Amino acid sequence: MEHNLMVEVNDLSKIYSPSNRIEHINFEITKGECFALCGGNGAGKSTVIQMIIGNVKPSSGTIKLSGMTMDMNRAVYKSLFSYMPDAMVFPKVLTGYEVLCFFADLSNVPKGRVDFLLEKVGLANDKDKKVREYSKGMQQRLALAQSLLPEAPLLILDEPTNGLDPYWVREFKNIIKEEKEKGTTILFSSHILSDVEELADRVAFMNSGRLLVTDTVEALTKGNNDSSAVKTTLEEVFFSLVKAEQPV
Ligand SMILES: Nc1ncnc2c1ncn2[C@@H]1O[C@H](COP(=O)(O)OP(=O)(O)OP(=O)(O)O)[C@@H](O)[C@H]1O
């Protein structure tokens, strides 16, 4: 039977210490959906992502991708997603082209796709430069190209537009929209709530290791039930959620 859910996160927790806990995280992402994980610094977004991709072992809870846990078949589980970290460290002695060819070989991706993606992220003219000569933004564009190489059904992006100039923020958003149109399921984390509003179908807000709310962008920004109500922004929603959490 075709499984409609790409991601199922069920009562997931990571207890780093008694005072540093990410707990009771529950959400599902339907195939083809664009889902944003939002929250302030230290809310737990990256930890949740790291648990999904198998880099951090959960203290409890389960994660399924397309109905499958990592324990069922690690190789198949890992083939279901590709991942762009918030800061990727590349071997600095390699050129951008060599880096992508390395990752392409790992995933049996034809070299033609390397050239296509270098063009897409605006690095075609710099492909023979060593990565150590790349600016931070160029390295980030290389990281995005790396994550797009395998055309995995689930694309996971940790803070994809952080630190990019306005031109490349827009280009990144267009690339994410293209992926969405192709039917790729997308999970991304971001602090930039205007980007989230533009890209995401649904949003989960985290604070201090807990999930506060998960809903569609439309429902979160519609104001109140009065149809004449002025729409609010995700930024305002986030402020009121975090404010409500503060001790009085
Ligand atoms: N390896 C670790 N060991 C101990 N604590 C950790 C570890 N990694 C993260 N934490 C803690 O877990 C909490 C959540 O961190 P995490 O990086 O997941 O948050 P985030 O929402 O991604 O934050 P930011 O937006 O600042 O990147 C923080 O209190 C952080 O200090």
Side-chain angles (χ1 to χ4, degrees):
M1 195 184 79
E2 171 71 5
H3 203 82
N4 190 37
L5 295 174
M6 186 71 234
V7 181
E8 293 163 84
V9 169
N10 186 20
D11 205 15
L12 191 65
S13 299
K14 179 71 191 175
I15 315 296
Y16 285 119
S17 72
S19 60
N20 193 349
R21 313 159 74 92
I22 289 131
E23 284 187 293
H24 308 305
I25 307 298
N26 291 283
F27 62 86
E28 293 173 343
I29 308 177
T30 307
K31 285 185 176 162
E33 207 177 15
C34 184
F35 187 91
L37 213 43
C38 299
N41 290 132
K45 308 176 294 295
S46 294
T47 300
V48 170
I49 286 178
Q50 291 297 319
M51 288 193 276
I52 293 173
I53 68 168
N55 280 355
V56 168
K57 194 173 162 46
S59 304
S60 59
T62 57
I63 302 163
K64 287 183 185 169
L65 297 187
S66 223
M68 172 179 277
T69 63
M70 185 143 46
D71 290 342
M72 285 159 97
N73 188 327
R74 192 179 171 87
V76 173
Y77 182 97
K78 290 235 163 191
S79 72
L80 292 171
F81 69 84
S82 61
Y83 165 62
M84 176 186 164
D86 54 351
M88 190 151 180
V89 181
F90 295 111
K92 301 272 190 285
V93 291
L94 297 183
T95 65
Y97 182 74
E98 288 167 341
V99 164
L100 283 198
C101 285
F102 170 78
F103 285 106
D105 284 344
L106 283 183
S107 313
N108 288 323
V109 173
K111 295 286 187 299
R113 187 155 172 81
V114 169
D115 289 307
F116 170 78
L117 288 171
L118 282 165
E119 189 76 46
K120 198 170 196 61
V121 299
L123 292 174
N125 291 336
D126 299 299
K127 69 177 197 167
D128 296 322
K129 277 189 189 160
K130 302 261 194 256
V131 173
R132 66 165 173 255
E133 295 171 53
Y134 279 17
S135 70
K136 189 168 170 279
M138 288 164 84
Q139 291 189 35
Q140 206 165 337
R141 280 143 59 192
L142 191 62
L144 179 66
Q146 168 275 133
S147 71
L148 295 173
L149 270 172
E151 298 185 271
L154 171 64
L155 182 59
I156 301 176
L157 310 164
D158 198 352
E159 301 282 353
T161 59
N162 215 7
L164 290 174
D165 70 38
Y167 176 87
W168 278 103
V169 168
R170 180 177 285 197
E171 286 296 307
F172 261 46
K173 286 195 284 191
N174 286 339
I175 292 171
I176 292 170
K177 284 177 192 169
E178 267 177 40
E179 285 299 315
K180 201 171 145 181
E181 273 163 28
K182 270 170 50 185
T184 308
T185 308
I186 298 162
L187 164 62
F188 74 107
S189 71
S190 184
H191 294 122
I192 306 163
L193 296 177
S194 54
D195 290 353
V196 172
E197 215 163 318
E198 188 179 335
L199 295 170
D201 300 309
R202 278 193 310 132
V203 182
F205 275 114
M206 291 186 71
N207 191 40
S208 305
R210 289 186 307 115
L211 204 55
L212 300 182
V213 68
T214 307
D215 213 334
T216 61
V217 172
E218 204 183 5
L220 288 168
T221 58
K222 79 171 193 276
N224 58 35
N225 289 332
D226 177 356
S227 58
S228 66
V230 179
K231 271 187 72 165
T232 183
T233 62
L234 280 184
E235 193 173 272
E236 283 162 24
V237 174
F238 178 61
F239 270 120
S240 31
L241 284 169
V242 172
K243 224 169 158 187
E245 288 277 299
Q246 307 292 330
V248 280

